[in-house]
Amino acid sequence: MRPSSPHVMKVGLVGLGVMGWPIAANLASAGKLSYVANRTQSKAREFATTFKVEALEMRELAAESDVVITMLSDDSAVRDFVRSVLAYLKGKILVDMSTISPSLSIQLAEEVRGAGGVMYDAPVVGTSIFAQQRKLVVLLGGPEEKRELVEDLLKHTASAVVYFGGNGSGLYSKLVNNLMVGTYVAALAEAFNLGVKAGLSKEQVERILTQLSSVRSPTSELKAPKLRTEDYSTQFATKHMRKDLEIVQGEAQRLGLFVPMSSLALQLYRLAEASGMAERDFSSIYEIYKKSK
Ligand SMILES: NC(=O)c1ccc[n+]([C@@H]2O[C@H](COP(=O)([O-])OP(=O)(O)OC[C@H]3O[C@@H](n4cnc5c(N)ncnc54)[C@H](OP(=O)(O)O)[C@@H]3O)[C@@H](O)[C@H]2O)c1
């Protein structure tokens, strides 16, 4: 009699958007991905054909996978998906890489635990370009029990996986980062506008922000050239930055904190969104400033 073959861990990924696609591509190239699913199913079929994995319907994917990775847009997308597949998560690992409210993630982790599974929050620092180059940094939160397995898996798409503690701590770390990035890019656009309107050339202002300023940073290197060229091709959409700063506001309210800097930046991103920039890069906030005299 042939010995039965050992069970090979099956990994499925739901959400083939700007971030989910390259993450799934990295996992597939490493031979770690079996299934993909996406709300718009044609994307999943296209991915499956390109990377030789199987495209399934979302619930089917949850039923077939040992590890389910989600990379979805926001709270409602993740909440709806997780609650629709709870029945399939007994003995499974759910790794949510989306940026959503930590409070919601903690609540969902309890529900997954109740269903016999274990959940991790694993939001990422870095854009789709970082994802393509496997240079994302994953901020991991969740129980110790499957931590090593999750870290080993995510290392196929990230340069670092940093563990912060229990459920929600990956997402709180992500909020710390995005509060800074959101307010910083708003200030960058404000400073850029001041310099140009005062008569400096765009190249001079860019040089100050990327080379001479004591607050130059990887973000100013990435975004100042976009302000100079007014190239708002999307690295991170305005609607997502608006969403993240709304999450900051919600969590701050819950914690009884005041967050005036990010609150003001949020209003500006809302204005940018209302001016038709929702899908454009969030550096398009510069357009709001350009209109000022
Ligand atoms: N882009 C970045 O640079 C970046 C960086 C760090 C973190 N993030 C975070 O990563 C997450 C994904 O970002 P992204 O840029 O990849 O977003 P995206 O391109 O808009 O992709 C969103 C994905 O979620 C799916 N989706 C949206 N609503 C859904 C719903 N109600 N039910 C089921 N599926 C739904 C979309 O499906 P369809 O294809 O059918 O629309 C798509 O697969 C966000 O939380 C974002 O804040 C993004």
Side-chain angles (χ1 to χ4, degrees):
M1 206 171 87
R2 283 169 59 197
S4 60
S5 55
H7 177 72
V8 178
M9 189 177 75
K10 300 280 190 190
V11 177
L13 186 143
V14 181
L16 295 167
V18 168
M19 295 299 283
W21 183 289
I23 289 171
N26 291 338
L27 294 173
S29 304
K32 298 291 171 188
L33 192 68
S34 300
Y35 312 116
V36 287
N38 197 61
R39 179 178 61 177
T40 308
Q41 293 186 358
S42 54
K43 259 195 229 173
R45 286 195 295 272
E46 185 193 338
F47 185 96
T49 309
T50 311
F51 291 95
K52 311 278 177 270
V53 297
E54 218 176 316
L56 299 177
E57 184 271 324
M58 290 192 198
R59 283 183 211 192
E60 214 182 339
L61 179 144
E64 294 297 324
S65 304
D66 301 298
V67 180
V68 179
I69 299 175
T70 43
M71 190 42 143
L72 300 170
S73 42
D74 55 17
D75 281 19
S76 66
V78 175
R79 184 196 294 116
D80 291 353
F81 171 74
V82 173
R83 290 192 174 151
S84 73
V85 299
L86 273 179
Y88 305 108
L89 294 182
K90 192 171 178 359
K92 310 278 180 76
I93 302 171
L94 175 67
V95 182
D96 179 33
M97 302 187 78
S98 329
T99 304
I100 62 165
S101 307
S103 312
L104 171 65
S105 187
I106 291 167
Q107 167 67 32
L108 292 176
E110 278 171 24
E111 293 175 26
V112 171
R113 169 77 64 189
V118 56
M119 179 167 164
Y120 289 83
D121 45 301
V124 299
V125 174
T127 63
S128 56
I129 300 162
F130 284 64
Q132 284 158 20
Q133 299 170 346
R134 296 174 201 226
K135 284 185 183 160
L136 292 173
V137 174
V138 177
L139 312 174
L140 188 64
E144 282 282 357
E145 57 192 278
K146 301 286 183 190
R147 174 186 157 185
E148 219 177 288
L149 188 152
V150 173
E151 286 176 350
D152 286 347
L153 179 61
L154 296 182
K155 275 178 189 156
H156 293 284
T157 192
S159 58
V161 183
V162 186
Y163 181 69
F164 284 90
N167 284 109
S169 53
L171 279 163
Y172 280 118
S173 310
K174 172 72 181 170
L175 289 190
V176 168
N177 180 69
N178 276 25
L179 184 155
M180 277 305 300
V181 177
T183 52
Y184 181 87
V185 170
L188 210 63
E190 190 167 308
F192 205 96
N193 187 54
L194 174 77
V196 171
K197 295 274 167 68
L200 297 172
S201 72
K202 286 186 164 185
E203 288 72 20
Q204 285 173 319
V205 181
E206 181 184 358
R207 184 159 178 237
I208 296 164
L209 297 171
T210 57
Q211 294 175 29
L212 307 177
S213 170
S214 58
V215 295
R216 67 190 185 278
S217 69
T219 298
S220 72
E221 280 169 23
L222 198 62
K223 300 302 182 189
K226 288 179 86 64
L227 301 184
R228 174 175 52 77
T229 56
E230 297 176 20
D231 161 21
Y232 305 129
S233 52
T234 311
Q235 294 164 341
F236 185 59
T238 303
K239 66 175 183 184
H240 285 323
M241 182 51 85
R242 187 260 306 148
K243 165 199 60 118
D244 290 358
L245 294 181
E246 282 174 350
I247 296 173
V248 169
Q249 302 303 304
E251 292 294 328
Q253 195 167 3
R254 197 182 61 75
L255 295 164
L257 305 173
F258 64 96
V259 281
M261 306 292 280
S262 56
S263 177
L264 183 55
L266 168 61
Q267 301 306 325
L268 295 170
Y269 288 112
R270 282 184 177 148
L271 258 179
E273 213 177 339
S275 315
M277 299 294 175
E279 303 293 337
R280 313 307 313 276
D281 192 71
F282 72 112
S283 56
S284 61
I285 193 173
Y286 180 46
E287 289 298 306
I288 302 298
Y289 285 105
K290 269 176 58 195
K291 286 180 188 148
S292 69
K293 290 236 163 158

